[in-house]
Amino acid sequence: MPDTVHVLNGPNLNLLGTREPEVYGHATIADVEAACRAACARHRLDMVFRQSNHEGELVTFLQEARGSRGVVLNAAAYTHTSVAIADAIKAVGLIVVEVHLSNVFAREAFRHHSYVSPVARGVICGLGIEGYRLAIDALATAGGRIS
C-alpha cells in the first residue's frame, strides 16, 4: 500500500458538473477520477478514489488509508466544520494534501476557516480539477515525504 494514493471527496461533490458550474466548473466527478487516475498512472501509483456525503464515512476512509503514500482530500463543506476529520488525520499520521476546486478565500467568510489545513501538509485551492493533479504530483515526487 505505500504506492497507493487515496483521493477522498466530501459532500455534494457527486453533483459536480451540474452544481453551481460558475463556481465549481463543468467537470464531473468522473472527470476528476479520470484525471487522478492519469496522474497516478504517470507516477506508477495505485489509486483509491472515493466520495461520500457522510462525515463518518470520510473518517473511515481516512483510517483505511493508513500506510498509504498519502491522501488528496477535498472535504468540501466538512473542511469548515469537522473536527472529526481533522482528528482522524492526526490519529493515523497521514500525509494529506487539502484540495478545493474553488478559491475558498474569494468566497463567503465562513469558508476562510479550515479544520483540515492545520493538519494537512499542503493546501491547493482555486485551480479546479488541476489541483488534484498537482496534489498527486506532490505526493509522488516527494516520495510521500512532503516537508
Side-chain angles (χ1 to χ4, degrees):
M1 183 139 95
D3 288 333
T4 301
V5 170
H6 289 248
V7 180
L8 306 179
N9 296 280
N12 298 309
L13 291 172
N14 56 307
L15 300 176
L16 285 177
T18 60
R19 177 186 175 222
E20 299 179 80
E22 67 282 358
V23 174
Y24 300 107
H26 294 280
T28 66
I29 193 75
D31 296 330
V32 173
E33 182 174 4
C36 291
R37 285 206 184 283
C40 284
R42 279 193 302 279
H43 296 290
R44 295 187 178 103
L45 294 169
D46 294 324
M47 183 184 78
V48 173
F49 189 92
R50 292 174 160 170
Q51 185 276 329
S52 179
N53 293 319
H54 305 283
E55 182 180 27
E57 193 165 33
L58 288 168
V59 168
T60 298
F61 294 166
L62 286 162
Q63 292 172 359
E64 290 172 351
R66 188 185 315 218
S68 68
R69 173 151 315 208
V71 174
V72 176
L73 175 63
N74 184 343
Y78 290 136
T79 300
H80 319 293
T81 63
S82 181
V83 173
I85 289 173
D87 284 351
I89 294 167
K90 287 190 296 187
V92 297
L94 290 166
I95 296 170
V96 171
V97 179
E98 177 183 355
V99 172
H100 299 283
L101 295 164
S102 68
N103 179 353
V104 294
F105 299 103
R107 298 184 62 201
E108 304 93 338
F110 74 87
R111 296 186 195 276
H112 300 179
H113 178 266
S114 169
Y115 283 98
V116 174
S117 294
V119 294
R121 196 61 60 88
V123 179
I124 300 170
C125 69
L127 300 178
I129 67 171
E130 180 69 6
Y132 285 85
R133 184 196 58 80
L134 293 169
I136 291 166
D137 288 350
L139 288 170
T141 59
R145 291 177 290 285
I146 301 170
S147 53

